[in-house]
Amino acid sequence: MILLTPELRFALRANDINRRAAAQGGRPEPDPVPVVKLFNPLGAATWLATELGEDDDTLFGLADLGFGCPELGCFSLSEIASLRLPFGLGIERDIGFSTTASLSVWADTARRVGSILQAQAVIRRIESAPVPELPTDPDGGKGG
């Protein structure tokens, strides 16, 4: 499986460029949403990436190797892609992954519940919850 499509690479690089520009301009660093989720189909290891460095190998995001302590940091795409698992399997990309939650929300939630996978269940419930409608003012604000 191709872990990063050209579209994913573009989005990851754009996030890296935006973060660097913010740092150089003295602006706060952006808090992008994860672009891609990689996972071990036979284990608990999961990675959420938001950025791809200029070297086209260094990803930044949230890494969870299944020990109960997800961490923000850098990881190597080539190392992840080179992992060989039993039955001829390798690390895979979750092709159905999408989120509206920022990386900091993912990191905080994953740390609180102990894993990216458990955080995904929590965040999915929140993202899919109906948004309540605000009550309307029947007299149009005239205090009626």
Side-chain angles (χ1 to χ4, degrees):
M1 166 181 264
I2 296 173
L3 293 180
L4 295 182
T5 64
E7 295 81 11
L8 292 172
R9 282 181 188 278
F10 180 83
L12 290 163
R13 284 294 302 132
N15 284 343
D16 181 64
I17 291 166
N18 287 338
R19 182 188 51 78
R20 290 174 188 273
Q24 288 177 348
R27 297 185 315 271
E29 287 192 15
D31 186 15
V33 299
V35 173
V36 66
K37 175 185 169 192
L38 305 174
F39 67 97
N40 176 343
L42 299 176
T46 308
W47 300 263
L48 297 178
T50 57
E51 298 176 26
L52 178 63
E54 293 178 65
D55 63 2
D56 210 37
D57 182 57
T58 305
L59 292 164
F60 177 81
L62 185 63
D64 178 3
L65 300 181
F67 302 120
C69 51
E71 294 184 16
L72 288 171
C74 295
F75 36 94
S76 168
L77 176 61
S78 60
E79 286 183 23
I80 290 171
S82 70
L83 291 173
R84 294 295 157 241
L85 305 170
F87 312 111
L89 297 173
I91 300 302
E92 295 187 16
R93 173 174 38 94
D94 182 345
I95 60 173
F97 177 77
S98 68
T99 186
T100 58
S102 68
L103 183 62
S104 65
V105 169
W106 276 93
D108 183 57
T109 305
R111 288 177 182 141
R112 288 174 189 262
V113 298
S115 75
I116 290 174
L117 295 178
Q118 289 178 331
Q120 186 169 7
V122 171
I123 290 171
R124 276 190 179 160
R125 281 196 307 271
I126 293 167
E127 289 179 329
S128 66
V131 178
E133 288 188 37
L134 295 174
T136 58
D137 189 355
D139 60 352
K142 296 181 179 158

